[in-house]
């Protein structure tokens, strides 16, 4: 039997409230009774089309089946993460196993694109609870559509796996993140899209960074960047992907205490050539991206004056969502190292206000708050509130070099 609060539990409860047997619901919805039984038993993660048909048959909003309550609040996050894990580790990936039992027609590409775009919006807004809830069925949707629609659907499947990878990094599940990133690269290979393939290898390098595998992370990002180095006449998107890979290489290099000047110079040249923000799949590259990463490098290297100087080159509107939040953490690091506790506290409070759930899972935020608490004999109300808002067991595996 499914645990209380699971999809299976909700479906069973709504079916019984409607005085329907599984067979009757199957007849009304067009979803097989076997599928309904497996969902209620917690043995099947259905696709969105299946959930929609069940919700319509029960005459309830889809949201009543897809639980959108916050699950990443430190108390109930396990169920959401397990659902993503199950979608990534589905037995249907095994050779000789197909998707039999997945009812419904493949999702039309425009609808699938809208769903992936919404998932990306959730990620960049720091709405991790919602993202974790929609990713498992979205993975199923994209996989089924990719079987019949070819390269365009495989591109969307790759981007869906990519979102799963970056979410798992934030949840501290780096091994699952690596698996999702690998699946994303495999799906991208089927598209023949060189830039998508390179972008997703950049995600894999970012996962390696969070695993503490600094040399491998930097080497992968640099190697892929070299393989797509643009010519003078290359399109802006090509330059943007190349520049983004250089910025990915900068992270592990800075964490290892190595000079990152060359990465900054090359990426700056690319950004200046573009002269604007360029969207590349579910992310973007712009001159502001280089300033942000330069600030990050100097913050990691514990050079607060240089970090704050780089930060001053950024306007607040040049970054949004958790991208801006991540930049604020670097600014807070610089202020902390410069012994500016009030400024650091104010910046951390600003970052938390942007996306509280995201902030709670940032090990760097916890590390900074701990430093600030140690620096001050008497904690301000704002600092006490910050200390209560982060996960006490989170960690920052790459941010600081040993002194």
């Amino acid at each position: 039997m499914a645990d209380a609060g699971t999809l299976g539990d909700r479906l069973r409860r709504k079916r019984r409230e409607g005085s329907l047997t599984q067979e009757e619901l199957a007849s009304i919805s067009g979803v097989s009774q076997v599928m309904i039984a497996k969902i209620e038993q917690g043995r099947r993660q259905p696709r969105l089309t299946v959930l929609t048909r069940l919700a319509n048959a029960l005459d309830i909003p889809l949201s009543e089946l897809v639980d959108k309550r916050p699950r990443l609040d430190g108390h109930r996050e396990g169920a959401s993460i397990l659902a993503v894990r199950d979608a990534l580790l589905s037995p249907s990936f095994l050779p000789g196993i197909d998707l039999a039992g997945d009812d419904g027609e493949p999702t039309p590409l425009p609808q699938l694109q809208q769903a992936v775009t919404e998932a990306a919006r959730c990620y960049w807004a720091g709405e991790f609870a919602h993202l974790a809830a929609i990713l498992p069925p979205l993975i199923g949707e994209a996989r089924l559509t990719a079987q019949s629609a070819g390269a365009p659907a495989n591109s969307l499947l790759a981007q869906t796996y990519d979102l799963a990878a970056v979410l798992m990094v934030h949840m501290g599940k780096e091994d699952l993140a690596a698996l999702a990133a690998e699946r994303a690269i495999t799906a991208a290979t089927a598209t023949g899209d060189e830039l998508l393939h390179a972008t997703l290898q950049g995600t894999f390098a970012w996962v390696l960074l969070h695993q503490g595998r600094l040399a491998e992370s930097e080497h992968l990002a640099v190697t892929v960047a070299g393989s797509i180095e643009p010519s003078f006449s290359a399109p802006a998107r090509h330059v943007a992907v190349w520049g983004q890979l250089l910025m990915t290489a900068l992270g592990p290099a800075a964490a290892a205490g190595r000079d990152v000047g060359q990465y900054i110079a090359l990426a700056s040249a690319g950004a200046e050539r573009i002269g604007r923000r360029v969207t590349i799949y579910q992310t973007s590259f712009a001159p502001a991206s280089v300033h942000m990463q330069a600030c990050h490098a100097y913050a990691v290297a514990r050079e607060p004056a240089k970090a704050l100087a780089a930060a001053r080159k950024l306007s607040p509107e040049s970054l949004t969502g958790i991208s801006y939040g991540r930049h604020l953490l670097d600014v807070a690091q610089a202020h902390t190292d410069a012994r500016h506790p009030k400024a650091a506290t104010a910046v951390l409070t600003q970052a938390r206000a942007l996306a509280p759930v995201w902030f709670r899972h940032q090990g760097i935020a916890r590390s900074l708050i701990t430093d600030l608490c140690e620096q001050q004999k008497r904690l301000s109300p704002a600092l006490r509130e910050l200390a209560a808002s982060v996960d006490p067991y989170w960690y920052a595996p790459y941010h600081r070099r040993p002194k």
Side-chain angles (χ1 to χ4, degrees), residues 144-282:
L144 187 65
T145 302
Q147 288 188 328
S148 59
N154 271 295
S155 175
L156 295 174
L157 175 60
Q159 293 173 62
T160 301
Y161 281 135
D162 188 57
L163 288 167
V166 293
L167 176 64
M168 290 299 99
V169 166
H170 285 287
M171 296 300 102
K173 308 293 183 183
E174 290 87 359
D175 289 345
L176 279 177
L179 175 65
E182 182 180 348
R183 297 213 189 286
I185 293 169
T186 299
T189 301
T191 69
D193 186 336
E194 179 186 42
L195 296 183
L196 175 62
H197 194 262
T199 297
L200 300 184
Q201 289 187 84
T203 296
F204 198 98
W206 188 67
V207 173
L208 291 174
L209 165 64
H210 284 266
Q211 289 181 323
R213 298 160 66 182
L214 305 182
E216 292 172 275
S217 174
E218 182 183 1
H219 178 72
L220 176 59
V222 169
T223 299
V224 178
S227 72
I228 65 162
E229 185 171 356
S231 65
F232 181 79
S233 59
R237 293 182 79 249
H238 192 145
V239 178
V241 172
W242 175 74
Q244 192 76 295
L245 284 164
L246 292 174
M247 293 296 90
T248 301
L250 179 150
R258 301 201 315 100
D259 179 68
V260 297
Q262 184 178 11
Y263 293 141
I264 294 174
L266 289 172
S268 293
E272 289 174 8
R273 178 183 153 192
I274 295 172
R276 58 185 173 84
R277 180 169 298 279
V278 176
T279 299
I280 40 178
Y281 309 102
Q282 302 304 334

Side-chain angles (χ1 to χ4, degrees), residues 306-325:
K306 290 183 178 180
L308 293 173
R312 284 192 287 271
K313 297 178 181 179
L314 276 168
S315 58
E317 64 274 9
S318 62
L319 298 171
T320 59
I322 62 172
S323 180
Y324 184 46

Side-chain angles (χ1 to χ4, degrees), residues 63-74:
S63 60
E64 291 192 23
L65 285 182
V66 180
D67 185 11
K68 294 182 180 178
R69 295 173 298 169
R71 287 185 177 274
L72 302 176
D73 57 3

Side-chain angles (χ1 to χ4, degrees), residues 30-33 35 47 49-50 53 99-105 144:
V31 178
S32 71
Q33 186 272 329
M35 170 66 84
R47 297 183 294 109
T49 49
V50 173
R53 288 158 64 182
L99 296 178
D102 282 306
D103 294 29
E105 296 297 320
L144 187 65

Side-chain angles (χ1 to χ4, degrees), residues 22-51:
Q22 289 182 348
E23 290 79 7
E24 289 170 335
L25 179 57
S27 177
I28 297 171
S29 66
V31 178
S32 71
Q33 186 272 329
V34 172
M35 170 66 84
I36 292 172
K38 288 182 177 180
I39 296 171
E40 292 189 356
Q41 294 164 7
R43 296 167 51 202
R44 173 72 70 175
Q45 179 66 46
R47 297 183 294 109
L48 286 175
T49 49
V50 173
L51 290 173

